[in-house]
Amino acid sequence: MVLDKQGYDELVMYLTQHLALFEKPGVVKANAPKVLELIEDVIAEHVIRLCEQHTGLTTEQRSLIVREVDGIVYDLQEVLSSVTEQRVTEEQREFIEEFAGLVKNLFDNAIN
């Protein structure tokens, strides 16, 4: 659906261009989640929103979306493996939320 499209390749490039955010220290708020926890939570929220907005999706389409999102999270986990257990900084949080929105946009475009 999206993993084999140019848009996903561009999204990966966008991630690589912003890896420095995960290599430098920053402000960590009290009780901040770990990087991987935030990635999983924010992307899950966007997938739920996607499915709520596209009520005509079949069970097979929803399953495909979940499988591809799992692949995206796995890719993120691989790229960010050295920092997934660290507490997320405010800059990282902003990037992760933006990235998740871009992932949702990829699926929105594929569905439309």
Side-chain angles (χ1 to χ4, degrees), residues 3 9-10 24 28 31 41 47 49-51 54-55 59 68-69 73-74 78 86 88 91 93 95 99 101 106 108 110:
L3 292 180
D9 293 339
E10 292 171 0
K24 64 180 183 176
V28 177
N31 299 322
D41 290 348
V47 170
R49 193 171 311 129
L50 175 81
C51 291
H54 298 279
T55 56
T59 301
E68 290 208 359
V69 167
V73 171
Y74 177 80
E78 288 295 306
Q86 294 178 8
V88 69
E91 286 179 313
R93 175 185 295 276
F95 176 79
F99 188 88
L106 284 176
D108 281 330

Side-chain angles (χ1 to χ4, degrees), residues 39-96:
I39 288 170
E40 291 172 340
D41 290 348
V42 172
I43 289 183
E45 289 172 11
H46 280 80
V47 170
I48 291 168
R49 193 171 311 129
L50 175 81
C51 291
E52 288 173 346
Q53 291 172 342
H54 298 279
T55 56
L57 290 172
T58 65
T59 301
E60 292 82 18
Q61 289 169 321
R62 290 174 191 261
S63 294
L64 177 59
I65 289 168
V66 168
R67 282 193 306 274
E68 290 208 359
V69 167
D70 283 345
I72 292 168
V73 171
Y74 177 80
D75 289 347
L76 283 169
Q77 187 175 359
E78 288 295 306
V79 171
L80 301 174
S81 63
S82 65
V83 297
T84 57
E85 293 301 312
Q86 294 178 8
R87 299 290 172 184
V88 69
T89 68
E90 285 304 301
E91 286 179 313
Q92 292 166 354
R93 175 185 295 276
E94 290 174 18
F95 176 79
I96 291 167

Side-chain angles (χ1 to χ4, degrees), residues 2 46 50 98-110:
V2 301
H46 280 80
L50 175 81
E98 180 182 4
F99 188 88
L102 294 172
V103 168
K104 181 185 176 294
N105 287 346
L106 284 176
F107 283 99
D108 281 330
N109 290 334

